[in-house]
Structures are given as C-alpha cells and as structure tokens.
Amino acid sequence: NRTYRTQQALITKHQEALALAEENQQITEEYTQELEEHYKLLKQTQDQLALSEKLSTLGQLAAGIIHEINTPLGVAKSTTDNQTEVANKLLALRGQLLKALPGDQLQAVEALAQELVQGHRTLSTREERTLRRQTTEQLAAWGVPDPDRVAQQLVLAGLQAPVTGYPALFSPAYQADAVQLAAAVATLAQNQRTTQDALRRIHLIVQSLKKYAYRSGSDHVETFDLAENVQTVLILYGYQIKQRAILHTELAENAWALGNPDEIGQVWTNLITNALQALPDDGGTLDVVVGTTEAHAVVTVTDSGSGIPPQVIERLFEPFVTTKPKGKGTGLGLSLCKQIVEKYGGTIAVSSEPGRTRFTVHFPLAPAPPVA
C-alpha cells in the first residue's frame, strides 16, 4: 500500500509538472506572439515616423521648389515668346541684305553672326565694360557713326573679344542692317540655348523631386551612386541654400553604396537641414563632399555655424536630444540618421567647434553595378 501511494504521488507530481510545463509553453508562445506584434507595431511606427519626416520636409521645401521651377519656366516662356519676333526680323533683314550686299560681304555678315553665336560665356561687369570700350575704339577708328551704340549692340548679342575683322560691314551703307542681321542670328541661337538650359533645369528638379518622393519600401536594397543620391537632395534644397549659404561641392564618381536610396537620402535631408538652420542670420558656408577611400564611400557635410556645445555633442545621436529651441525640433532626426546609416553597415560621426561643424558618414564601398 505504501508503495502504491508513493507511485500515485509521483504520478500526480509528474502530471502537475507536465501541466505546469504546458502552461509555461503556452505563456511563452503567447509572450512570443505578443513580442512579435509589438515588433511589427514598432517597425510600422518607425516607418511612419520616417515618412512623416519626409512629408514634413517636402512641405517645407514646397515654396522653394515652386520658385526653382517657376524661374526657369519664366525664362523659357520669355525667350520662346521672343523667338517669333526675332525670326521675322531676321528674315526681313536677310532679304534686304541679299539684294544690297556683295557676296563677300554677305559671307562676312555670316562670319560675324557665327562669332556672336559662339559667344556663350557670361562676362563680368568689368569684362563687359572693357570689351565695350575696346570695341568702341576699333569702330571709331573705322569711321563708324555712333560707335558706342554699335559696340553695345554687339556685346549684348554675344561678342566675346574686340572686333578685328569685318571692317567693310561697318561702312555707313551697310552698317545698321549688317549688325542687326548678325545680332538677330546670335539672339536666336542664344534664345534656343537659354530655353534648353531652362527646360533642362526644370526636368532636373522634377526628376529629383520624383526620386525623393517615391517610396521604395525600407526592405528594398540596391547598389546606387552616392553622389547622385546627395545631388538629388541638394537640388531640392537649391532655393533654401541660395537664401542661406554659399555652397561648395565635390562629388566623386564611383562612390557606390549598397542600401535603400530612399532611406539614405533622408540622412542628407536631415544633415543639410540642420546645417542651414545652424548658420547665422547673415548666412555662411555649406560644404558637401562625396569621396572614396580604398574600402569606403565617404560623405561630409560641413557648416560654418556656431557649433554644438560639448555637453550636447556626446549625446547628439540619442533620441530627443536637440540643440534647437523648444518647438523647433523633435530631436529624432539625428537618431534616425544613425539608425539608417548603421542599418547598412555604415558609421556617422560629428566634430564641432565654433564656426565649423562637420558630420562624416562612411558606407562600405560597393562594387559598381553591371552595365545594362
């Protein structure tokens, strides 16, 4: 009987232990499931925070982007409107001169027009003043009436160096029509060039905005050009930068990195925003450099602001730490930058003193992608 009772007690204990183990397993499974749900929620919150930062940035940039697009659009519209008027004038002048000019002088008109067309470098005020004076002196030596007015017309049409040829064109019989014809040809070519440059600028801004706004998902990883990634952000910040800073850039080729371009672009957004906000009211300098070492792609963002206090710099990448006034920042931007950089095997560091703060980001240098 004693043995039976002992066995029964052992069986009971084993049953209780088994029940406890099953209960613990169930609790563990529930706890694991709860942890997984919390992790998913945390990841969703993090993604929403990153998206919120991006939307906030786009909102802040909107006025500047509109201004950046509106300026070249206005230039393109103005030059396009001018094209028809100049073309009609050109055709009329050419018809008159074909009847009046000898063949060799008509060739001289075309040569002068070609010289003006090729003049595309913008002269400084001093260079323009000097060129106009030298041209006036030459025209006066040829006996051209009102040489200063003619010199001004030539310089505005694109003249880059003093006139040394074409003296016959400037005789009283042909001067006015010949100069106007050459200037009209040059104006058409310059308008075309200006319109193309303006439209190219608009295209670049729109493409940069598209790259920045398009969200590829935080799990998307590819090999991408780090210099182009930085350039996209600089283009979007073009108006703000012009208002606040003198920008210096060095963007190396073949600075390839492996990661999510969308997420990493957010790093430059934060660093450039902080740099501009750190500058004094009268502005300063912003240096952005993309380079490579044997093993790394390196980006530095340097501003000439007041610097970061030593007691803050040690905790700068911690959440909710900020140097901005209350209500001006959440203190999450740099902690998010650190998280993104480290996610792709990189490092971010800061050095600061009054008048110079530099953030340095290293990413492992990736092999160049295969040419399609």
Side-chain angles (χ1 to χ4, degrees):
N1 288 340
R2 183 179 297 175
T3 302
Y4 175 76
R5 286 196 298 272
T6 302
Q7 289 176 342
Q8 286 295 109
L10 286 173
I11 291 171
T12 302
K13 286 182 179 180
H14 282 303
Q15 289 175 337
E16 291 174 351
L18 182 60
L20 183 61
E22 290 176 349
E23 185 179 350
N24 285 339
Q25 183 178 356
Q26 184 178 356
I27 292 173
T28 301
E29 289 174 354
E30 291 174 354
Y31 184 66
T32 301
Q33 184 177 356
E34 188 177 345
L35 281 177
E36 289 175 352
E37 290 174 356
H38 279 300
Y39 174 76
K40 289 179 182 178
L41 181 62
L42 182 63
K43 192 173 185 302
Q44 290 174 357
T45 303
Q46 181 183 358
D47 289 344
Q48 289 172 355
L49 178 61
L51 180 59
S52 176
E53 286 273 337
K54 174 171 285 190
L55 292 175
S56 174
T57 300
L58 285 173
Q60 295 168 12
L61 291 175
I65 292 171
I66 292 170
H67 185 278
E68 285 290 279
I69 291 176
N70 193 53
T71 298
L73 191 61
V75 171
K77 183 180 183 303
S78 176
T79 54
T80 302
D81 291 344
N82 185 246
Q83 293 286 72
T84 302
E85 181 183 344
V86 175
N88 291 336
K89 183 178 181 181
L90 173 63
L91 291 173
L93 285 169
R94 195 174 192 280
Q96 295 171 16
L97 287 174
L98 279 173
K99 297 176 182 177
L101 280 177
D104 58 338
Q105 292 190 11
L106 187 60
Q107 291 177 359
V109 170
E110 293 175 348
L112 175 59
Q114 186 61 30
E115 182 177 335
L116 297 177
V117 167
Q118 292 173 349
H120 59 275
R121 184 175 68 89
T122 302
L123 301 176
S124 67
T125 303
R126 182 177 180 180
E127 288 174 326
E128 185 176 316
R129 192 165 51 241
T130 301
L131 177 58
R132 181 173 168 180
R133 176 179 54 77
Q134 292 172 339
T135 304
T136 299
E137 292 172 354
Q138 180 61 70
L139 295 175
W142 289 342
V144 174
D146 199 0
D148 185 63
R149 181 186 62 80
V150 178
Q152 181 183 18
Q153 191 175 11
L154 289 170
V155 171
L156 289 176
L159 192 69
Q160 300 282 296
V163 176
T164 56
Y166 330 111
L169 291 181
F170 296 97
S171 65
Y174 306 126
Q175 170 214 311
D177 288 344
V179 171
Q180 287 185 46
L181 176 60
V185 171
T187 301
L188 276 178
Q190 289 168 356
N191 282 350
Q192 181 70 16
R193 215 161 32 220
T194 301
T195 301
Q196 287 176 337
D197 288 343
L199 293 176
R200 191 179 299 114
R201 175 70 180 167
I202 292 171
H203 175 75
L204 192 60
I205 293 170
V206 172
Q207 287 298 106
S208 297
L209 183 59
K210 181 180 177 182
K211 287 179 185 177
Y212 183 81
Y214 174 69
R215 193 164 171 77
S216 57
S218 59
D219 295 330
H220 174 75
V221 174
E222 63 181 80
T223 300
F224 66 97
D225 184 345
L226 205 55
E228 182 181 331
N229 192 249
V230 171
Q231 182 71 27
T232 295
V233 177
L234 288 175
I235 289 170
L236 293 178
Y237 271 86
Y239 181 74
Q240 281 79 357
I241 291 173
K242 282 187 287 188
Q243 300 298 308
R244 299 280 295 163
I246 298 172
L247 175 66
H248 303 286
T249 61
E250 294 180 30
L251 305 177
E253 296 180 354
N254 300 317
W256 301 102
L258 181 64
N260 182 295
D262 181 71
E263 283 190 297
I264 292 174
Q266 191 68 35
V267 174
W268 321 131
T269 298
N270 276 294
L271 296 185
I272 290 170
T273 299
N274 289 347
L276 293 176
Q277 291 176 347
L279 295 177
D281 292 339
D282 57 353
T285 60
L286 174 64
D287 298 323
V288 180
V289 178
V290 178
T292 60
T293 65
E294 187 175 343
H296 292 92
V298 185
V299 180
T300 60
V301 178
T302 310
D303 67 72
S304 60
S306 57
I308 303 170
Q311 65 272 22
V312 175
I313 204 167
E314 296 177 357
R315 303 177 53 241
L316 194 61
F317 295 106
E318 296 177 11
F320 307 110
V321 174
T322 181
T323 60
K324 298 174 185 176
K326 188 175 181 180
K328 293 292 184 181
T330 61
L332 293 173
L334 288 176
S335 65
L336 183 63
C337 287
K338 186 173 188 291
Q339 188 175 0
I340 292 171
V341 170
E342 291 181 347
K343 177 179 178 180
Y344 298 109
T347 61
I348 182 169
V350 60
S351 62
S352 184
E353 60 187 45
R356 182 184 176 277
T357 296
R358 171 171 292 175
F359 285 85
T360 303
V361 179
H362 287 78
F363 284 108
L365 190 61
V371 178

